[in-house]
Amino acid sequence: MATVIYPSPIFGPVHSRRLGVSLGINLLPADGKFCTFDCIYCECGYNKDHRPHAKLPSRKEVCEALEKKLKEMQENGPEPNVLTFAGNGEPTSHPEFAGIIDDTLMLRDRYFPEAKVSVLSNATFIHKPEVFAALNKIDNNILKLDTVDSDYIRLVDCPTGHYDVNRIIEGMKAFHGNLIVQSMFLKGKTETGVDVDNTTDRYVLPWLDVVKEIAPRQVMVYTIDRETPDHALQKATHEELDRIVALLEKAGIKASASY
């Protein structure tokens, strides 16, 4: 079973395919995973297989650990390009997320003012005013939208509660361009034999129409990079991702692909 369970609250720095030298901030426990999605491609595995027992790190613990690491990096390197909220689940689910963002921006300005602050989110909490406001403060508000097909979302992203893709889309539009859309493209079949190829026009063109409506400042398309809990999945090809990037750029939307 694929499992990459990250330390908490700070991990790395690591080299990100999309963001450069990235210092990770994990607001979930270090001993397991829980998320509002249970994606069949998640490098952290399935929720049910890695139930955490530890508590969430507190705002104070995150702030102290982050400052300690930034001091160390200031003295010994490397210089981070980005401070990235990611890890063992959905970062915006932390009840003190908004305050932690304020602390992070303050520490970034103190130690590495050129570094960007990024959040990788599945967008399930953007309807909360405090989360929405916090995401509007950061440099890279990166929100997931793998498809606009509800059946595909249930099959691949596997939301753990009620999920209305149209509500998510309207929430993304409310950022008025202050967001980056991140979309996973993959191929193959599930272990139960269901086709999950979302690189075809059947999925790409409706998704593209919605992305145009959202009007993000950038779109990041990517594919599988590590072992997945559903072992039958396959990477999208360079050519398929390049085609999607070309469609976005033709529509006037800045786009990049990570292979």
Side-chain angles (χ1 to χ4, degrees):
M1 182 64 67
T3 55
V4 181
I5 302 298
Y6 291 93
S8 177
I10 306 299
F11 63 93
V14 299
H15 183 77
S16 165
R17 287 187 291 169
R18 287 156 284 168
L19 302 172
V21 178
S22 172
L23 181 64
I25 304 170
N26 175 22
L27 301 186
L28 286 304
D31 66 337
K33 175 211 172 189
F34 66 86
C35 190
T36 49
F37 276 7
D38 200 17
C39 300
I40 64 174
Y41 59 76
C42 182
E43 64 187 23
C44 297
Y46 292 125
N47 290 338
K48 65 181 176 60
D49 295 325
H50 308 288
R51 297 289 186 194
H53 300 286
K55 294 181 179 179
L56 296 172
S58 69
R59 176 179 176 179
K60 183 173 184 289
E61 288 169 339
V62 175
C63 187
E64 289 177 349
L66 178 58
E67 181 162 31
K68 180 180 178 182
K69 186 64 177 181
L70 291 176
K71 283 181 177 178
E72 176 190 311
M73 294 176 76
Q74 193 176 60
E75 293 172 2
N76 303 315
E79 182 172 335
N81 300 119
V82 63
L83 312 180
T84 306
F85 286 82
N88 304 337
E90 174 52 39
T92 63
S93 66
H94 195 292
E96 297 181 289
F97 176 75
I100 291 169
I101 288 293
D102 287 339
D103 296 342
T104 301
L105 291 169
M106 176 268 294
L107 292 172
R108 183 276 308 272
D109 292 346
R110 180 181 300 170
Y111 292 99
F112 292 102
E114 299 302 314
K116 306 296 184 184
V117 174
S118 299
V119 174
L120 303 179
S121 170
N122 64 23
T124 49
F125 288 101
I126 59 175
H127 64 281
K128 291 190 171 185
E130 66 275 18
V131 171
F132 183 85
L135 291 174
N136 256 321
K137 295 177 182 179
I138 62 172
D139 301 288
N140 297 318
N141 169 29
I142 305 173
L143 302 180
K144 172 178 289 296
L145 186 67
D146 290 341
T147 179
V148 296
D149 185 288
S150 295
D151 291 336
Y152 189 94
I153 291 167
R154 284 191 291 271
L155 175 67
V156 174
D157 293 330
C158 305
T160 58
H162 176 71
Y163 181 90
D164 182 347
V165 68
N166 293 314
R167 184 187 188 198
I168 296 296
I169 291 165
E170 291 305 311
M172 290 184 174
K173 290 180 185 178
F175 284 102
H176 299 295
N178 186 28
L179 77 161
I180 296 169
V181 169
Q182 174 183 260
S183 301
M184 165 69 79
F185 290 92
L186 48 78
K187 301 184 69 173
K189 300 184 182 215
T190 66
E191 290 175 333
T192 58
V194 182
D195 188 358
V196 292
D197 184 350
N198 66 336
T199 67
T200 63
D201 284 349
R202 173 187 172 189
Y203 292 103
V204 171
L205 296 184
W207 167 86
L208 178 62
D209 287 340
V210 168
V211 170
K212 291 177 189 176
E213 294 176 13
I214 294 170
R217 74 166 194 263
Q218 183 182 351
V219 175
M220 295 176 172
V221 301
Y222 69 124
T223 192
I224 297 165
D225 186 43
R226 297 189 175 99
E227 186 182 3
T228 57
D230 189 318
H231 298 298
L233 305 179
Q234 299 172 14
K235 293 170 70 80
T237 67
H238 287 215
E239 292 76 16
E240 286 160 339
L241 294 184
D242 288 343
R243 181 183 83 93
I244 295 166
V245 167
L247 289 170
L248 289 161
E249 291 178 339
K250 184 178 180 181
I253 299 169
K254 181 181 178 182
S256 63
S258 297
Y259 311 106

